[in-house]
Amino acid sequence: MNLPSISASVWEALALGLATGPICLASCGPVVVPWMLILPNGWRVRSHQLTVFLAARLMGYLLFACVAWWAGSAIPHAWSGRAWAFGCVQLLLAIALLTYAIGWPKTRSCAAESGRRLVQIGVAPQPGRTGAATLGFLTGINLCPPFLVAGVRASQLGSLPAALVFFVLFFAGTAVWFAPFLALGFVQRNPAIATVARIAAALLACYYGFLGASTLIARIIYV
Amino acid sequence: MSSHPSTLERPPAFRRIGKSILLTLPILLWSLLMFSRAFFQPRLDLRLASVVVMLFMTALFFLMMRTGTTYRWRRYFFVALGLLFPVGFIADLIAVRGTMSIPIERMVSGDTPFCYMVIPMLVIPAALTRSIIFPGSILPTASNPHSIAIMIGLWLALTLVLGKAWCSYACFFGGIEEGFAAVAKKPKIRRIDPRFRLVPWAILLAIVLLSAALFEPVYCMWLCPFKAVTEYPAVRSVQTAIQMVIFVVLFIGLVIVLPLLTKKRTQCAFFCPFGAFQSLFNKINIFEIRIDREKCIDCAACRNACPTMAISKESVQAGNTLLGCMKCGACVDVCKNHAAVWHVKGTAVGPSSERSRLLFLYGAWAMATMFGGSVLANSVSHLLHFAM
Amino acid sequence: MRKSFTAVLGYFAGGLTLLVAILVPFVLMGFFSNAVARAGLHVDEGYSGGVAARTIARDGYRIVVNQPVKPHLLQRMEPFVQVAWEPASALPAQISEDVDLDGDGRPDVHLTFAVPADAKEPLQVNVASLNDNYQSFAGVENESYSRLVMRTDRGIMVRVPLSRKFSTR
Ligand code: SF4
Ligand code: SF4
């Protein structure tokens, strides 16, 4: 690849990421918003978690870049396994959201109620990185429309490193759009908001579960 | 949960008949004004229906003035609205379209009557692209008078006056379950986890996010229980069949069975995302219900009476009701110590309860007569038409 | 002192609410409705079919071709172009013709459908794509927002789906 074509690809990847960021936002919003509201208070905790989320999302991108480049431009539209992959990712996303909805955080609390407040022993546990990484990775390989467009372009590039760089830059373009989510870090977490976010996460898990299951079932019936 | 306003008598605070009539006079004049156009209609059924509804609304207001209680009389109106609205709506649909189901071609033609339940889902897509994600029409047409602009305008105007009291004086769905909740003498299910109150907010969050992403009114497509008694997408695929099953199950469960068992408005309290959205307008509305701490003896009568669990132990201790209070008046009517009171923000809690009530009720009943009254008149006219 | 001031303010706001209530049917409702109507909003193109781009004159009738409608964000419908044959009274009993959908002077699809005299008779359309920008389909009424044939007040309308390369899913 010569220099002008490299710089053209750099700009193309960045521009594509920036231009399609709103779709990324729409695609990830229903996952990120409830998840962020379930997280414990504090701008630092939430921005750290969002960083882990984005890093895992980048990993998802890079993995896809490898697959896309390896399989050539056949992947995004004609690949017969696309519906399978889409269905499975939706189901996994549903499971991850459901885990958040019913699982974390498990604060150790005194069995008895003292007055009206549940007495918490020690410091509330900080969330680990696994949850954020799982959600980030799954939304990363979610096969959303801009992602597929980027996949087509990456697969047409001359080498694997070029495809990887293309996806890194595409990611950087889209990541700018995630900045508004940081504002959620300032939402004071009170038990009511956390419960609302959990129930919303469970509802959204139902939606993704239905989407995944119906895609897979349609695939089984019609293929 | 030992009592309910329908079964618990508050010590009567009767006004004299003359004074009650005097206080009712403005509402009588307002009703005459609101129905004046209908009186000159050529259709006899419509004229008759208007007279009946006008007398009904005025009589209920008179009884509110005479007895000093609110809930029971408001409930007659609200249940009538809830039960009769589907009658008129379905009759209109059948007259125009021949069926309750709406096929794609009618949606494409913009013939779907606009429903306010969609409003929270419209905001983000409209802000991003100016698109309204509802298959209606912006301006009224011959085949769809319930246009988007008219219905949003009406909702905005009513919300300015009512706030969350929309759910007691305007919504044409809430009355159905209020009717079923009134049937049993005592509730069969008494213990309800208060966290269920948060479900409408969660549904609101989920549908707003999904509608913004998918650009479709997710709640209408998947979750609205009232599709079962209004209009629904024609069942032509597995997806529409699943949607139909969801609508019917939610309607039977939340609007009929659970209100019968709990004597609460379970759909409104634990499901309706529009109700949650409407609660936000309580913040800017000047009227509210407060608890006078000096008179309150923590008997829990108000909590048990509240149809939407909008009073908690903590809120009583703080002298407040919760954000979801829809100003139905059940708690005030049931409180023997006159501790639950109508209140205008900024004034002292307690002494001016009746003045606050009157100020609120004139506005609320005027809106109920104008909006609910016209819906009722339309439905009653259909019934009269069948009968005559 | 402060209390009585807030009380005065409170009653003033209460009185104002009452005034607003009186103004609702006469002024406010219309005011808000007009404001919404003038806010530049439009029904989503997925439902409305978008705006007309070109009119092709035919012998006695015309074909109105709309701008292509592409889905917003993750909207699940396929992109499509809406084409309408108008007026209903001037349409021949059978339409079978090439139509240029993108205005480049070359035909893009060949459409065939019968125009029954009885308005209640179901419609059936056959769309044969002449290039890879559009999808061929043979369909009856109301299949989906992106592929349908239906009667309108003015004539007959067909929605032709764009090919998968424009699709979001
Ligand atoms: S909660 Fe919903 S259904 Fe119930 S009255 Fe309010 S808007 Fe209507
Ligand atoms: S708290 Fe509000 S909703 Fe509950 S009974 Fe009292 S007035 Fe009605």
Side-chain angles (χ1 to χ4, degrees):
Chain A
M1 247 197 203
N2 55 23
L3 261 179
S5 82
I6 289 177
S7 82
S9 293
V10 164
W11 287 116
E12 187 192 345
L14 263 176
L16 188 64
L18 277 170
T20 55
I23 306 184
C24 299
L25 215 60
S27 174
C28 294
V31 175
V32 174
V33 173
W35 166 66
M36 288 277 279
L37 292 175
I38 295 172
L39 290 176
N41 252 353
W43 191 83
R44 286 183 64 167
V45 177
R46 290 182 187 178
S47 50
H48 174 248
Q49 288 281 311
L50 191 62
T51 312
V52 175
F53 172 93
L54 287 174
R57 189 164 160 268
L58 177 61
M59 291 301 131
Y61 273 34
L62 295 182
L63 177 76
F64 186 75
C66 293
V67 178
W69 186 82
W70 166 72
S73 57
I75 278 199
H77 287 295
W79 180 41
S80 63
R82 193 183 140 200
W84 289 107
F86 178 78
C88 291
V89 170
Q90 302 299 311
L91 279 182
L92 289 173
L93 209 50
I95 294 169
L97 271 176
L98 215 54
T99 314
Y100 263 97
I102 55 180
W104 194 88
K106 292 187 192 76
T107 46
R108 284 179 297 143
S109 50
C110 181
E113 257 195 287
S114 148
R116 277 181 295 114
R117 285 237 179 94
L118 214 58
V119 177
Q120 195 176 293
I121 302 170
V123 185
Q126 293 300 303
R129 294 193 185 118
T130 329
T134 311
L135 287 181
F137 184 75
L138 288 174
T139 52
I141 55 165
N142 198 7
L143 301 187
C144 71
F147 187 64
L148 291 176
V149 176
V152 174
R153 276 301 289 127
S155 63
Q156 291 162 350
L157 294 173
S159 66
L160 179 59
L164 290 175
V165 171
F166 188 91
F167 257 98
V168 169
L169 292 167
F170 171 70
F171 168 83
T174 62
V176 174
W177 289 91
F178 281 73
F181 287 136
L182 279 178
L184 288 171
F186 295 106
V187 175
Q188 201 59 22
R189 181 183 193 267
N190 70 35
I193 290 184
T195 310
V196 165
R198 272 167 199 280
I199 303 168
L203 286 167
L204 291 161
C206 291
Y207 171 75
Y208 287 118
F210 175 78
L211 205 61
S214 56
T215 308
L216 293 180
I217 290 169
R219 199 76 207 157
I220 291 165
I221 292 174
Y222 295 119
V223 172
Chain B
M1 202 178 297
S2 57
S3 58
H4 191 265
S6 61
T7 53
L8 216 176
E9 289 300 320
R10 183 184 189 222
F14 281 106
R15 269 198 188 88
R16 283 203 306 276
I17 288 199
K19 196 165 181 198
S20 303
I21 291 176
L22 214 60
L23 285 170
T24 308
L25 219 53
I27 289 295
L28 176 66
L29 291 174
W30 177 264
S31 307
L32 278 168
L33 203 61
M34 290 300 105
F35 289 106
S36 56
R37 236 188 306 158
F39 297 148
F40 299 106
Q41 289 282 329
R43 273 173 51 196
L44 177 66
D45 52 12
L46 200 58
R47 271 182 284 153
L48 268 178
S50 301
V51 173
V52 169
V53 172
M54 192 196 83
L55 291 176
F56 177 63
M57 297 303 286
T58 312
L60 290 178
F61 194 83
F62 169 79
L63 289 163
M64 285 185 194
M65 296 300 105
R66 172 98 168 113
T67 60
T69 59
T70 315
Y71 179 81
R72 186 193 314 188
W73 316 114
R74 182 208 58 85
R75 191 174 65 185
Y76 283 125
F77 152 72
F78 203 56
V79 172
L81 179 64
L83 296 180
L84 288 175
F85 166 72
V87 173
F89 187 80
I90 294 167
D92 284 343
L93 280 188
I94 299 215
V96 172
R97 194 193 287 163
T99 162
M100 265 173 82
S101 68
I102 180 153
I104 280 187
E105 64 265 26
R106 295 263 56 95
M107 295 200 222
V108 163
S109 307
D111 285 350
T112 322
F114 186 78
C115 167
Y116 49 77
M117 293 272 177
V118 194
I119 291 169
M121 290 177 281
L122 299 183
V123 180
I124 297 180
L128 291 177
T129 64
R130 303 203 153 197
S131 285
I132 297 285
I133 52 166
F134 186 84
S137 53
I138 301 282
L139 297 173
T141 62
S143 49
N144 185 7
H146 307 288
S147 75
I148 294 165
I150 287 198
M151 294 300 281
I152 295 184
L154 181 65
W155 164 77
L156 266 172
L158 288 180
T159 296
L160 268 188
V161 179
L162 297 170
K164 167 76 172 173
W166 168 279
C167 297
S168 281
Y169 298 82
C171 176
F172 36 69
F173 293 133
I176 306 178
E177 56 198 287
E178 187 149 25
F180 284 109
V183 171
K185 274 241 169 323
K186 291 220 165 102
K188 298 252 177 334
I189 298 174
R190 286 161 191 272
R191 280 190 181 281
I192 302 171
D193 189 327
R195 279 177 300 184
F196 279 122
R197 278 190 303 241
L198 299 174
V199 176
W201 294 97
I203 297 178
L204 181 65
L205 179 63
I207 60 167
V208 165
L209 288 171
L210 276 183
S211 301
L214 300 172
F215 265 67
E216 55 189 35
V218 177
Y219 182 76
C220 315
M221 292 175 65
W222 293 99
L223 292 174
C224 177
F226 298 104
K227 283 269 181 287
V229 287
T230 52
E231 65 176 350
Y232 46 82
V235 178
R236 282 174 177 165
S237 63
V238 178
Q239 177 172 315
T240 41
I242 294 174
Q243 288 165 337
M244 199 58 215
V245 170
I246 296 175
F247 299 150
V248 172
V249 168
L250 286 175
F251 184 79
I252 294 175
L254 289 169
V255 182
I256 299 177
V257 177
L258 283 174
L260 282 172
L261 296 176
T262 59
K263 288 190 75 63
K264 301 280 177 206
R265 280 169 63 177
T266 42
Q267 191 279 146
C268 296
F270 312 131
F271 192 80
C272 179
F274 187 79
F277 177 67
Q278 202 66 23
S279 302
L280 297 173
F281 296 95
N282 258 356
K283 284 278 178 204
I284 52 164
N285 194 269
I286 199 74
F287 300 104
E288 59 183 359
I289 304 285
R290 292 284 295 268
I291 311 294
D292 187 344
R293 289 299 307 144
E294 289 182 1
K295 290 186 185 157
C296 176
I297 54 163
D298 270 335
C299 69
C302 59
R303 274 194 282 145
N304 294 335
C306 178
T308 53
M309 290 177 66
I311 314 183
S312 66
K313 205 171 173 184
E314 294 76 19
S315 77
V316 168
Q317 269 155 10
N320 290 323
T321 51
L322 299 173
L323 191 61
C325 168
M326 51 185 187
K327 290 166 244 185
C328 68
C331 53
V332 181
D333 292 355
V334 89
C335 179
K336 286 181 176 150
N337 298 297
H338 304 284
V341 288
W342 295 89
H343 182 242
V344 169
K345 287 174 189 168
T347 63
V349 175
S352 54
S353 176
E354 186 57 16
R355 191 186 307 153
S356 307
R357 172 176 174 261
L358 285 182
L359 207 49
F360 168 74
L361 272 183
Y362 276 120
W365 209 250
M367 296 300 92
T369 308
M370 179 201 99
F371 181 52
S374 64
V375 174
L376 278 178
N378 177 45
S379 301
V380 173
S381 74
H382 280 294
L383 290 178
L384 288 174
H385 184 77
F386 283 130
M388 289 187 326
Chain C
M1 179 68 188
R2 196 176 156 265
K3 280 224 151 153
S4 63
F5 177 65
T6 57
V8 169
L9 271 186
Y11 284 126
F12 179 71
L16 212 60
T17 310
L18 194 52
L19 183 69
V20 167
I22 295 167
L23 292 179
V24 164
F26 308 108
V27 183
L28 276 181
M29 238 173 74
F31 173 78
F32 285 134
S33 298
N34 286 339
V36 176
R38 284 209 217 97
L41 301 168
H42 58 267
V43 170
D44 189 70
E45 295 87 345
Y47 302 121
S48 70
V51 288
R54 282 170 317 109
T55 303
I56 304 168
R58 291 284 201 253
D59 195 13
Y61 65 94
R62 62 184 173 271
I63 306 173
V64 181
V65 182
N66 282 11
Q67 279 172 4
V69 173
K70 302 224 171 122
H72 298 290
L73 299 179
L74 302 178
Q75 208 167 17
R76 288 181 302 172
M77 60 172 198
E78 291 174 291
F80 64 86
V81 177
Q82 177 170 309
V83 199
W85 278 257
E86 302 170 355
S89 56
L91 298 182
Q94 176 79 19
I95 298 268
S96 179
E97 58 186 330
D98 288 348
V99 182
D100 169 17
L101 295 179
D102 54 14
D104 64 354
R106 286 193 298 263
D108 296 298
V109 286
H110 183 85
L111 285 120
T112 313
F113 58 89
V115 185
D118 179 1
K120 289 220 167 71
E121 236 178 84
L123 294 168
Q124 176 130 24
V125 70
N126 201 309
V127 178
S129 173
L130 303 176
N131 57 40
D132 68 352
N133 286 342
Y134 301 91
Q135 293 184 51
S136 300
F137 82 98
V140 287
E141 291 172 310
N142 341 306
E143 257 182 57
S144 74
Y145 288 115
S146 315
R147 45 181 82 207
L148 59 78
V149 53
M150 61 173 267
R151 286 184 179 81
T152 64
D153 294 342
R154 277 176 290 188
I156 288 180
M157 180 256 272
V158 176
R159 285 186 178 178
V160 180
L162 270 69
S163 74
R164 291 220 169 265
K165 65 182 175 186
F166 298 105
S167 183
T168 59
R169 286 231 184 262

